């Protein structure tokens, strides 16, 4: 199991940043490296103010040449299942990748905490990646190492990097909006 963590400080209040991360993903996709699009698939607003949201991410990373033919463009993406608390302080998520879905368990939390005397946000993105060795055994021996490399690159590198870029892109969008919006 591999743990990953990313911490980002922003100069906007936590509820504004969290609402932006929840609601502006389609607008920030162009600012993210190797991300073609992010689109909401489903959204269920809860009576208590929370929200269940599924976003589809489509990516176009540069893959090692050894993966040509094994990984096709339709495999390069994932569903991001997110459950948002009513106060927007916590988002619990899990990622359902299109590539090697049976072998990958990736889940975590994102917290939006007050910083800078309440004027800013500390966004904490934490997750765990577990690759099931039994599921990997279904992949031909010659492809196991490149497949593991692709999974680790996709989840262990692209996702945390894009979290940082995502919240920074949201912060830039918030600069253009009136502060009365959450």
């Amino acid at each position: 199991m591999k743990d990953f963590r990313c911490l980002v400080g922003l100069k906007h209040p936590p509820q504004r940043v969290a609402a932006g991360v929840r609601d502006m993903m389609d607008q920030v996709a162009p600012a993210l490296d190797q991300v073609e699009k992010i689109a909401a698939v489903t959204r269920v607003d809860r009576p208590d103010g929370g929200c269940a949201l599924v976003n589809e991410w489509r990516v176009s990373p540069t893959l090692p040449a050894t993966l040509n033919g094994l990984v096709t463009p339709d495999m390069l993406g994932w569903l991001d299942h997110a459950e948002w608390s009513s106060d927007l302080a916590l988002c619990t998520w899990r990622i359902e990748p299109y590539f090697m879905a049976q072998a990958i368990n990736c889940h975590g939390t994102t917290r939006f905490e007050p910083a800078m005397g309440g004027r800013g946000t500390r966004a904490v993105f934490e997750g765990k990646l577990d690759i099931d060795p039994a599921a990997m055994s279904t992949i031909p021996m010659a492809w196991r190492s490149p497949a593991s490399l692709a999974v680790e690159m996709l989840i262990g590198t692209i996702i945390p990097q894009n979290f940082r870029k995502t919240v920074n892109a949201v912060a830039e969008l918030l600069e253009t909006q009136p502060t009365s919006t959450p």
Side-chain angles (χ1 to χ4, degrees), residues 2 4 34-35 57-63 71 75-78 95-100 104 106 129 147-162:
K2 178 180 178 175
F4 52 88
Q34 303 176 11
V35 174
W57 291 64
R58 299 304 301 186
V59 297
S60 56
T62 304
L63 297 174
V71 178
M75 297 175 174
L76 299 175
W78 59 87
I95 293 171
E96 180 184 341
Y98 295 146
F99 178 69
M100 294 177 48
I104 299 168
C106 184
L129 167 63
S148 292
L149 175 65
V151 170
E152 184 163 325
M153 181 177 66
L154 180 67
I155 296 176
T157 305
I158 293 173
I159 293 172
Q161 284 176 356
N162 278 334

Side-chain angles (χ1 to χ4, degrees), residues 14-58:
Q15 283 195 314
R16 286 194 79 210
V17 172
V21 171
R22 183 192 64 196
D23 301 333
M24 298 177 166
M25 296 306 291
D26 60 331
Q27 296 172 56
V28 300
L32 305 178
D33 294 337
Q34 303 176 11
V35 174
E36 292 177 3
K37 74 173 187 168
I38 305 168
V41 176
T42 62
R43 180 181 176 133
V44 177
D45 292 314
R46 307 264 190 239
D48 69 355
C51 177
L53 185 62
V54 177
N55 283 321
E56 179 184 33
W57 291 64
R58 299 304 301 186

